[in-house]
């Protein structure tokens, strides 16, 4: 049984004859202790406070029966780990056609050419602070979040990632940013909406520490996988 915040994604599951429903990760309408296993892939890094991120882990644990296990994947601050670049960085010049998050949890924010030079300059301007000793992130001395330049390393733990909607149409009343898609002629060019999606990228040990703060679970394993921090939990 699957669940997601997006009704459109849940509808796709239904079309493929999978069982899925719309819900909020902070309040899943499933009986406590009724699941043998739970999987949370690329979800928790979208919550904007440590309290809410911890609450989602607690809610995940609530669903498990004693002895049940959960697997959690979140995006890592460290996209280069043990001298190895993540798939996210390696695919900087990857296919233009991939527009979704991979099922491994590695985000695929925009596979096409990155037209975010203004975003990058704005991001650099916001990063003129001292380094955060935790994992090299720089604090933002501004009320605005930095906008990430796709397929590059992270400079802040809390940021906005541009998502370019391919083939989208923009209504006049919509107040969303747009970019001009590259093309061979004016006829082939179109305006694509850009949505800035919030991420909190996790430093090494951060997800594991949050899990260990809960008395109801035990951390079986904590590891790094292609730009993600991952934890396997067991319900006590």
């Amino acid at each position: 049984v699957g669940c997601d915040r997006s009704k459109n994604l849940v509808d796709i599951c239904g079309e493929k004859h999978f069982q899925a429903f719309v819900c909020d990760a902070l309040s899943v309408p499933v009986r406590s202790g009724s699941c043998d296993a739970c999987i949370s892939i690329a979800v928790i890094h979208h919550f904007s406070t440590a309290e809410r991120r911890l609450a989602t882990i607690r809610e995940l644990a609530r669903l498990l029966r004693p002895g049940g296990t959960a697997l959690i994947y979140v995006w890592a601050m460290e996209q280069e780990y043990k001298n190895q670049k993540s798939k996210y960085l390696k695919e900087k010049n990857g296919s233009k056609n991939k527009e979704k998050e991979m099922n491994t949890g590695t985000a695929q924010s925009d596979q096409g050419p990155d037209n975010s030079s203004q975003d990058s300059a704005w991001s650099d301007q916001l990063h003129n602070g001292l380094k955060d000793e935790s994992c090299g992130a720089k604090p933002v001395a501004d009320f605005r979040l930095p906008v990430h330049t796709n397929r590059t390393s992270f400079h802040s733990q809390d940021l906005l990632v541009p998502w370019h909607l391919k083939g989208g149409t923009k209504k006049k009343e919509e107040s969303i940013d747009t970019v001009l898609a590259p093309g061979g002629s004016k006829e082939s060019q179109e305006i694509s909406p850009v949505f800035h999606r919030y991420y909190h990228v996790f430093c090494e040990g951060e997800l594991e520490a949050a899990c260990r703060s809960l008395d109801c679970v035990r951390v079986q394993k904590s590891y790094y996988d292609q730009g993600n921090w991952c934890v396997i939990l067991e319900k006590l």
Side-chain angles (χ1 to χ4, degrees), residues 9 34 49 65-66 68 79 98 102 127-128 152 189 219 225:
L9 290 179
S34 60
T49 67
R65 63 164 175 78
Q79 290 296 307
K98 297 178 184 177
M102 296 185 63
H127 292 154
N128 292 329
T152 64
Q189 293 180 344
V219 175
D225 180 28

Side-chain angles (χ1 to χ4, degrees), residues 42 45 73-76 78-79 86 104-107 223-230:
H45 57 217
Y73 265 61
V74 295
W75 220 358
E78 301 84 355
Q79 290 296 307
S86 70
T104 58
T106 304
Y223 60 98
Y224 180 89
D225 180 28
Q226 286 296 337
N228 300 278
W229 286 113
C230 321

Side-chain angles (χ1 to χ4, degrees), residues 1 7 68 84 98 103 105 127 143 149 162 185 231:
V1 177
K7 181 181 182 299
Q84 293 289 324
K98 297 178 184 177
N103 55 11
H127 292 154
F143 68 94
T149 300
S185 65
V231 164

